[in-house]
Amino acid sequence: MKKLMVTLCLAFVAFTTQAQSFDKLEKSENVTKVVVNKSMFSFIGKMAHKEKMTAEDQKIMDFIGKITKFKMYTTTDSSLRSEMKSIAGKYRKSKEFEELLRVNDGGKEVEFLMKSGKNDEISELIMYVEGDGDKESVIFQLSLS
């Protein structure tokens, strides 16, 4: 029982730490934010003309129907860029996330990270693109059900 309580506490701390990762970006005026919730994706599905869809169109609509949240943050602010890089690093070091792709171009990173859910389906994607100078850094999170 004691091990179960310790495990639950550690899981809660890990969850709240990651949930708080985007708080600084969310509150900053120097960050462009785009947040799209499940209701918007459901609305897109309702607007589609299903009788005119091909099998491939239906697969795309099924994928869109699984999206529960999309968040994207961009900035040219150097301290916030560092924060974004730190967030991406926390996700990369997390045992829950697997690195799908990493590209280093001239010392600048591009990363795709994935978290698996039930039946090994993707439950969350994180993408980070490091910018410099007047180029924006971008981080996005896509959550799926």
Side-chain angles (χ1 to χ4, degrees), residues 123-141:
S123 66
E124 192 169 345
L125 285 171
I126 302 288
M127 184 194 79
Y128 169 67
V129 179
E130 184 177 16
D132 68 348
D134 62 346
K135 295 180 182 169
E136 293 180 318
S137 285
V138 178
I139 192 165
F140 84 67
Q141 176 184 34

Side-chain angles (χ1 to χ4, degrees), residues 70-119:
F70 173 81
K71 293 181 178 184
M72 183 175 72
Y73 304 91
T74 65
T75 189
T76 56
D77 182 283
S78 60
S79 67
L80 292 168
R81 279 192 207 149
S82 296
E83 181 69 22
M84 284 182 179
K85 188 170 188 168
S86 174
I87 290 168
K90 287 177 189 174
Y91 279 99
R92 186 181 343 99
K93 292 174 186 172
S94 166
K95 291 181 181 180
E96 295 180 338
F97 282 83
E98 174 185 349
E99 184 175 79
L100 294 177
L101 170 75
R102 183 171 18 151
V103 177
N104 185 317
D105 184 18
K108 298 301 172 193
E109 296 282 329
V110 175
E111 296 180 275
F112 281 90
L113 308 168
M114 173 192 80
K115 179 179 177 183
S116 294
K118 59 185 174 189
N119 302 325

Side-chain angles (χ1 to χ4, degrees), residues 58-70:
Q58 187 58 50
K59 286 180 183 179
I60 292 169
M61 292 309 295
D62 291 345
F63 177 77
I64 289 172
K66 292 181 180 181
I67 299 173
T68 58
K69 187 171 283 187
F70 173 81

Side-chain angles (χ1 to χ4, degrees), residues 4-20 96:
L4 176 63
M5 292 302 292
V6 170
T7 303
L8 288 174
C9 287
L10 289 174
F12 177 74
V13 168
F15 175 76
T16 56
T17 300
Q18 288 181 351
Q20 294 171 355
E96 295 180 338

